[in-house]
Amino acid sequence: RDLTQPQNQEIFYSLIRGYYNDMPERVWARIDGRPVIWLWAAYFGIQFDRSLFEYITSHFEEDYGVRPYIVGEDIWRYAHPSGGGVDYDAGVMPLDDFYIWGAASNGFQEPTGGVAEVGPGYDERTLPGHDRIGRYQDREGGAFYAENFQLAIDSGSPIIAIETWNEFHEASDIADSVEYGRQYIEMTREFVDQFKGVTPTPT
């Protein structure tokens, strides 16, 4: 978990390289022509500093001839060095954008970067684990998702991210399911069309 060490940075980057080696270039998600690397939160004692992102960027450019667009959860904003704590003196880490995780349980939060997060609800009440405290957010028949998606659109953020596609165990999924069918897929389509200013084609 110490990503300040070159050997661990190599392992970390190998996951990114493996993904992009397996993913056809025609379906790469890009922002301003740059392939997206999306980082979840650096919880559980992960240690890192600026050198991690310099490693990722330089090796990605060497492998693919283009600079990646790195988006990280807000915890990646400042270094967490090997000695512990947060190193604010090192300045903001060289990521391209940030988001705040937890919209599925906490609702829309004003973005600290250019990414707004939305989620349909959350339920960990039956999950085992010492870190599970029984957090729960009712879906309210889709009203929770609709309200927060509208707030995300109204925020003016250029990017909206959804928690989550298929994390069924925490009930934050929007995928086709036994419980909800295609309800959240269809809601997502409507809000994305609104976000992008698309007029739906009559069926």
Side-chain angles (χ1 to χ4, degrees), residues 70-119:
I70 304 176
V71 182
E73 207 278 336
D74 206 52
I75 198 172
W76 294 100
R77 186 178 294 272
Y78 295 103
H80 289 60
S82 298
V86 180
D87 183 5
Y88 297 106
D89 293 334
V92 175
M93 295 295 96
L95 282 73
D96 296 282
D97 217 333
F98 297 92
Y99 67 95
I100 300 175
W101 182 257
S105 57
N106 302 322
F108 172 79
Q109 300 178 68
E110 199 63 39
T112 59
V115 182
E117 289 267 300
V118 298

Side-chain angles (χ1 to χ4, degrees), residues 2-202:
D2 186 353
L3 298 179
T4 67
Q5 300 300 313
Q7 66 270 25
N8 295 335
Q9 293 174 357
E10 181 179 359
I11 294 170
F12 189 87
Y13 177 70
S14 72
L15 302 174
I16 298 169
R17 184 177 55 232
Y19 175 85
Y20 273 101
N21 282 348
D22 289 343
M23 186 64 61
E25 188 171 345
R26 61 182 171 77
V27 296
W28 288 5
R30 297 175 185 262
I31 297 175
D32 297 330
R34 296 162 57 190
V36 175
I37 295 173
W38 195 278
L39 303 179
W40 188 62
Y43 300 147
F44 313 114
I46 292 176
Q47 301 161 345
F48 62 91
D49 57 21
R50 186 173 297 268
S51 68
L52 171 64
F53 306 105
E54 293 171 346
Y55 186 101
I56 293 171
T57 298
S58 63
H59 282 75
F60 196 96
E61 286 185 302
E62 182 178 329
D63 288 337
Y64 304 106
V66 61
R67 185 179 180 87
Y69 191 98
I70 304 176
V71 182
E73 207 278 336
D74 206 52
I75 198 172
W76 294 100
R77 186 178 294 272
Y78 295 103
H80 289 60
S82 298
V86 180
D87 183 5
Y88 297 106
D89 293 334
V92 175
M93 295 295 96
L95 282 73
D96 296 282
D97 217 333
F98 297 92
Y99 67 95
I100 300 175
W101 182 257
S105 57
N106 302 322
F108 172 79
Q109 300 178 68
E110 199 63 39
T112 59
V115 182
E117 289 267 300
V118 298
Y122 184 89
D123 189 358
E124 65 173 29
R125 292 174 297 176
T126 61
L127 296 181
H130 68 278
D131 59 335
R132 300 292 182 176
I133 58 175
R135 288 170 292 190
Y136 173 70
Q137 171 57 56
D138 195 310
R139 291 184 178 231
E140 301 171 5
F144 181 78
Y145 189 54
E147 177 185 353
N148 286 285
F149 216 127
Q150 191 61 60
L151 288 170
I153 293 172
D154 294 344
S155 75
S157 297
I159 302 171
I160 295 178
I162 299 167
E163 304 171 7
T164 59
W165 172 252
N166 61 353
E167 201 148 277
F168 294 107
H169 70 289
E170 291 180 342
S172 60
D173 54 284
I174 65 164
D176 195 352
S177 66
V178 171
E179 292 88 348
Y180 308 110
R182 292 182 56 83
Q183 175 187 357
Y184 288 90
I185 296 174
E186 292 166 359
M187 290 177 66
T188 301
R189 174 76 276 163
E190 292 175 5
F191 280 109
V192 169
D193 283 347
Q194 179 185 340
F195 174 56
K196 294 188 173 185
V198 175
T199 302
T201 302

